[in-house]
Amino acid sequence: MSPWGTAKSAEFRGPLDVARAATVVLDAQDTVIGWSRTAEELFGYAQDEIIGKPLDTFLPPRQPSGLTEADEAGSALGAPLSGGEIRVAQHSDGRSLLVATAVSSLPGSGTAAHVLVATALESLRLWESRLALLQGLATQSPVGLGIYDTDLRLTWCNAAYELEIGLPFAEFRGLRADELYSEGSFLTEGYPNTLDSVMNQVLDTGEPIVDLHFRGRPPSDPDVEHLWSCSYYRLQDADGHVFGVCEDAFDITDRYEAQKRLALLVEAGRGIGTVLDVMVTAEEIAEVAVPEFADAVTVDLVEEVVEGGVLGAGGPAGGALVRVASRSAPAKGPAGPGGPDESEKTDPPSPVDYPPGSPQMRSLSSGGLVLADDTLVVPLRAGGSPLGLVTFRRAPWATFDNGEIALADELAARTAVSIDNARRYSRERAASLALQRQLLPRHLPQQTAVDLAYRYLPTDDVTGVGGDWFDVIPLSGTRVGLVVGDVVGHGLQAAATMGRLRTTVRALAQLDLPPDELLRRLDDLVGQSAEDLMDAVGPPIEPREDDATGATCLYAVYDPVSRRCTMARAGHLPPAIVDPEGSLSYPDLPAGPPLGLGGLPFESKELELPVGSLIALFTDGLVETRGRDIDQGLNILGRVLGDPGRSLEELCDRALSELLPYGTTADDTALLLVRTRELDPGHVAHWELPAEPVAVGHARELATGQLREWDLEELTFSTELVVSELVTNAVRHAEGPLQLRLIRDRTLLCEVADTGHTSPHLRHSEAEDEGGRGLFIVAQLVHRWGTRYTESGKTIWTEQVFPSAE
């Protein structure tokens, strides 16, 4: 018999066993003839004191009538053990003892006739409680208990263990643990690879192992993996003799699966919808679900969703389905994984057509999820509109339970929200980019005043389209307007605001306003637009991220005749100016408030620039990025621009590569580089005339002579008429000296300046009017004409196209 068998039989003999209870040997007259040491300890009589004494010396006879204390105790304990009863004994010191007794007759004809065994009632109660505990562990405990001997063979188990195996104990008694569980493995790291090895470790070291997670397939359920929390401890008796190992095993499969589902939801929250991209989001749910939830996942979307189109509510008729993501785990069976990895991505999307009656078509028709054996189809919907389908597949032996169906529905719901957000974003971004492309200059014509190069980078896909802009505006007198601006915010609203501001700047620039006056009027427009919107719709309930909350702007005018540049800024970064020798400076230009604040002044500053000076206008997206402040960016930009030997195109490319090495930015980036020119003095003729009638004829003679010198005699007639009319008006309506200037550029420019501030008006004269026809005739002879104002008065200018260019 095994050591456990010996211990087990000794444990279940009970408290009245002669090996452990008080033993008294009696003759036929109930005289004590034998007295054990245990009896001496229980009743208090030494052996020499009690031998020869009658039994009633320590065990009085039962009372013939009425309930005694022993009867009451026996009634409270229930039925006594077979062959025994509860009696009141007398201790040697006079006190009474409640004892359980049993009497056995001895065979043969010797002196000894009976053997009486007794034990204290407290010992009986303790034994019965232990017996009840063992009985509960054996039959009622949900924890599987198994006893393995030193050869690691199963010798005993409780009912829960037997139920887990699914066979009568007699059929697997004596087997090793590794023989009971096929293809088992441990999830807890740092332990031997087999159950036998774990038990041997416990036997050798005596150190228990607690909460070891073991995964395997029991004989009762060979197609499904179970997970147990197992504990092992060594069994030994009071003398230290080792007789086996006890295994406690509790099936935690359901708890583990619930934890996996919760962990999968947490992972879905982190891993689905990380970017506003429909394709990436579809791939993300496939990556999250495989292999933790399903063996294979496909994602099919309505074609309009992929293209960022507008969806109709209800029904599957939103368009054809296209496969956008597909992922599968390595093939596996009841014996474990195997086969090639079949994971893949679908790029570009490919059309998919499901036959009538398929789970996918049933889901599309009903708008609900469909479970068909090992396939679970969950619709993707947002706001009542169908977005597509997610199909989860498993091996035939691993179907989806109710908890997993709910989990799949939650995964699909999260994915649908992220896909719809990405679709909306893609649609708005496409509209914003289209608007931005239409509003920004596609081609900047060559200018006499400057050489130019530019770069524009829209923001990355995460932040959205911004509102940066730049422009180069031809002005009268061969001058050029340079502008760069930045609308705060992103999205369609910012792009629309940018377009409105750019158009307004162009319109105001044509009035030949000085930079500070132009910014003042632009500021009024922005402030007025905000007030009008407030009056129309009221204040917003909460701000939106794509609202344009303000704008900055820098406006400069460069005159190639005087080589002077006048500039003003509204909260924008100052320009960088590099002289022909490569010396960099950022002019101390008054900052001015951002546009839209109102009530604050703007100031202009005038600089005289050497020919060949470089002016760089840019937005903060170029010099300020995450991890780098503006000062660092300005230093890098200055180092790049300080190389005078490079062309403007090369400088643009170098600036972007140095400041934006990854080609993307969290904000729009605009960069405009211009290199100044000087108009040939031989192409400019300037005269001062008195404000007298005689000046008209003199002005015609001067203009005619200059045209002969420039070989432009073909323009003599029209120029004489223009000069005559403009000088005549100046003499009649203005005071002080007059200025006449002719400029030969891409066109012939004629300018007459006076000290008056009244602008002439083009009008139709009636038949009886004596005047008013001259300016009308001038307008018919020239290509363009206009008025610009200065501090000293005004200038009327005209442009005539050269005959060869007509």
Side-chain angles (χ1 to χ4, degrees):
M1 180 179 291
S2 69
W4 163 245
T6 303
K8 180 179 179 182
S9 60
E11 177 67 26
F12 284 93
R13 287 189 189 115
L16 295 179
D17 176 52
V18 294
R20 59 202 324 187
T23 306
V24 180
V25 182
L26 304 171
D27 62 11
Q29 287 76 35
D30 289 337
T31 301
V32 177
I33 61 175
W35 190 258
S36 69
R37 180 175 298 277
T38 309
E40 183 177 336
E41 295 173 354
L42 178 61
F43 297 110
Y45 293 96
Q47 187 175 17
D48 57 355
E49 294 176 337
I50 197 63
I51 296 297
K53 298 291 181 68
L55 174 63
D56 57 12
T57 303
F58 61 91
L59 191 64
R62 293 177 60 86
Q63 298 298 323
S65 63
L67 286 175
T68 65
E69 182 182 357
D71 295 326
E72 294 176 353
S75 179
L77 287 173
L81 296 175
S82 176
E85 61 180 347
I86 297 176
R87 302 279 296 277
V88 179
Q90 193 73 29
H91 195 272
S92 63
D93 59 10
R95 57 189 172 88
S96 298
L97 298 174
L98 281 175
V99 295
T101 64
V103 178
S104 298
S105 299
L106 297 176
S109 56
T111 304
H114 309 285
V115 173
L116 179 143
V117 292
T119 186
L121 187 60
E122 288 77 9
S123 298
L124 177 65
R125 287 172 173 168
L126 177 61
W127 181 83
E128 288 191 345
S129 66
R130 288 178 178 176
L131 185 63
L133 174 62
L134 291 174
Q135 184 72 9
L137 290 175
T139 62
Q140 301 174 17
S141 172
V143 179
L145 298 175
I147 305 297
Y148 292 82
D149 61 18
T150 53
D151 294 329
L152 303 184
R153 297 194 176 277
L154 185 66
T155 61
W156 178 87
C157 72
N158 67 351
Y161 198 100
E162 190 175 31
L163 182 63
E164 190 69 48
I165 299 301
L167 297 172
F169 176 58
E171 295 188 22
F172 59 90
R173 179 201 296 269
L175 294 180
R176 292 176 175 268
D178 289 335
E179 296 172 337
L180 289 172
Y181 300 95
S182 61
E183 300 295 336
S185 62
F186 294 107
L187 297 186
T188 308
E189 298 180 356
Y191 291 96
N193 296 328
T194 64
L195 290 173
D196 284 1
S197 301
V198 170
M199 293 185 189
N200 272 322
Q201 177 178 315
V202 173
L203 283 176
D204 294 340
T205 65
E207 295 292 332
I209 294 177
V210 179
D211 197 25
L212 175 63
H213 287 187
F214 174 76
R215 181 167 56 192
R217 289 182 168 86
S220 62
D221 197 3
D223 292 337
V224 179
E225 284 189 337
H226 287 242
L227 183 67
W228 293 272
S229 173
C230 303
S231 298
Y232 300 90
Y233 47 91
R234 191 168 68 182
L235 298 175
Q236 58 189 45
D237 57 21
D239 297 328
H241 178 71
V242 177
F243 56 85
V245 176
C246 183
E247 176 190 55
D248 297 348
F250 186 70
D251 194 326
I252 60 171
T253 304
D254 292 341
R255 185 180 72 187
Y256 177 70
E257 292 299 327
Q259 290 174 342
K260 281 176 56 179
R261 293 168 192 166
L262 179 60
L264 191 62
L265 283 177
V266 173
E267 179 62 24
R270 290 196 301 257
I272 298 177
T274 58
V275 295
L276 289 170
D277 186 286
V278 171
M279 302 294 292
V280 172
T281 303
E283 293 166 1
E284 285 172 343
I285 184 177
E287 292 174 0
V288 167
V290 176
E292 296 299 326
F293 181 72
D295 297 325
V297 170
T298 57
V299 182
D300 307 317
L301 297 180
V302 177
E303 194 170 16
E304 284 83 350
V305 175
V306 179
E307 297 173 353
V310 179
L311 298 178
L321 290 178
V322 291
R323 177 71 46 83
V324 295
S326 176
R327 190 176 184 89
S328 59
K332 62 182 180 180
D341 188 350
E342 299 174 355
S343 300
E344 64 179 18
K345 293 181 180 179
T346 302
D347 189 20
S350 57
V352 60
D353 187 18
Y354 291 106
S358 64
Q360 288 79 7
M361 286 304 297
R362 288 158 52 194
S363 178
L364 284 174
S365 300
S366 64
L369 60 84
V370 173
L371 176 63
D373 298 328
D374 58 347
T375 300
L376 176 61
V377 182
V378 185
L380 297 171
R381 301 183 68 85
S385 298
L387 303 178
L389 300 170
V390 181
T391 302
F392 303 92
R393 288 187 175 89
R394 285 183 174 177
W397 57 85
T399 56
F400 298 92
D401 59 28
N402 291 336
E404 290 167 333
I405 292 174
L407 175 59
D409 198 28
E410 176 66 22
L411 290 176
R414 295 190 180 196
T415 303
V417 171
S418 298
I419 287 178
D420 191 51
N421 288 340
R423 178 191 66 83
R424 294 172 182 269
Y425 169 77
S426 298
R427 184 166 173 260
E428 179 173 318
R429 176 174 171 78
S432 300
L433 285 173
L435 176 62
Q436 198 174 51
R437 284 192 295 267
Q438 292 294 325
L439 296 176
L440 286 173
R442 299 184 182 182
H443 173 69
L444 295 179
Q446 294 299 317
Q447 303 291 325
T448 301
V450 294
D451 292 321
L452 58 91
Y454 58 90
R455 295 291 186 273
Y456 181 83
L457 290 181
T459 187
D460 56 42
D461 290 342
V462 175
T463 311
V465 175
D468 292 13
W469 92 92
F470 66 94
D471 209 347
V472 177
I473 307 170
L475 301 177
S476 64
T478 69
R479 297 170 307 136
V480 64
L482 308 173
V483 60
V484 64
D486 185 358
V487 175
V488 178
H490 296 92
L492 194 59
Q493 181 74 16
T497 302
M498 175 271 288
R500 187 170 68 250
L501 294 179
R502 176 176 178 267
T503 303
T504 303
V505 169
R506 272 191 161 265
L508 294 175
Q510 298 304 320
L511 298 177
D512 281 316
L513 298 174
D516 56 341
E517 178 65 15
L518 183 144
L519 291 181
R520 186 188 68 78
R521 296 198 183 187
L522 191 63
D523 178 66
D524 291 341
L525 172 70
V526 173
Q528 186 64 39
S529 298
E531 292 178 4
D532 292 344
L533 181 62
M534 184 78 70
D535 293 339
V537 301
I541 298 176
E542 57 184 24
R544 298 183 307 175
E545 292 184 0
D546 62 347
D547 281 346
T549 58
T552 64
C553 184
L554 169 65
Y555 181 65
V557 176
Y558 175 69
D559 187 347
V561 177
S562 64
R563 293 185 288 104
R564 290 186 175 275
C565 183
T566 306
M567 58 186 69
R569 61 182 178 132
H572 202 84
L573 292 172
I577 298 180
V578 182
D579 64 23
E581 285 72 35
S583 178
L584 172 75
S585 65
Y586 292 96
D588 186 16
L589 183 63
L595 298 173
L597 297 183
L600 297 174
F602 299 96
E603 299 181 43
S604 293
K605 185 169 185 177
E606 187 175 77
L607 303 173
E608 185 173 347
L609 301 177
V611 177
S613 296
L614 176 66
I615 306 175
L617 290 80
F618 50 89
T619 57
D620 57 2
L622 179 68
V623 293
E624 183 181 25
T625 60
R626 295 186 183 96
R628 186 185 68 209
D629 60 27
I630 289 182
D631 290 338
Q632 291 175 309
L634 292 176
N635 290 335
I636 296 173
L637 179 62
R639 174 172 51 80
V640 172
L641 299 180
D643 187 353
R646 294 185 179 271
S647 68
L648 295 181
E649 295 291 338
E650 290 176 319
L651 291 177
C652 281
D653 291 338
R654 281 200 60 195
L656 293 184
S657 63
E658 292 278 346
L659 292 164
L660 304 174
Y662 302 107
T664 60
T665 175
D667 196 3
D668 282 14
T669 299
L671 172 63
L672 175 63
L673 299 182
V674 298
R675 185 165 281 143
T676 63
R677 294 176 176 176
E678 182 182 25
L679 195 62
D680 186 346
H683 288 189
V684 179
H686 180 270
W687 304 278
E688 184 172 310
L689 303 171
E692 299 175 357
V694 68
V696 177
H698 186 43
R700 285 197 301 268
E701 293 175 0
L702 293 173
T704 301
Q706 189 63 53
L707 291 179
R708 284 196 302 268
E709 185 177 337
W710 286 341
D711 296 326
L712 295 176
E713 289 88 348
E714 294 181 57
L715 295 178
T716 301
F717 176 74
S718 59
T719 304
E720 284 183 340
L721 286 177
V722 169
V723 170
S724 296
E725 178 61 27
L726 297 183
V727 173
T728 299
N729 285 339
V731 169
R732 288 180 178 178
H733 304 292
E735 297 179 356
L738 309 180
Q739 308 290 331
L740 172 62
R741 187 169 71 164
L742 296 181
I743 300 175
R744 180 180 180 178
D745 187 34
R746 300 176 185 273
T747 59
L748 177 64
L749 297 160
C750 178
E751 298 179 346
V752 175
D754 58 46
T755 58
H757 290 83
T758 303
S759 176
H761 296 284
L762 186 66
R763 63 187 178 88
H764 292 278
S765 298
E766 300 296 334
E768 61 274 9
D769 290 342
E770 296 182 0
R773 299 179 180 85
L775 192 57
F776 182 82
I777 295 173
V778 168
Q780 308 308 309
L781 294 175
V782 300
H783 177 61
R784 290 195 308 160
W785 74 279
T787 305
R788 67 173 180 268
Y789 294 90
T790 63
E791 294 180 356
S792 59
K794 69 176 183 299
T795 299
I796 310 297
W797 56 269
T798 66
E799 284 188 22
Q800 297 181 69
V801 178
F802 296 142
S804 59
E806 292 180 347

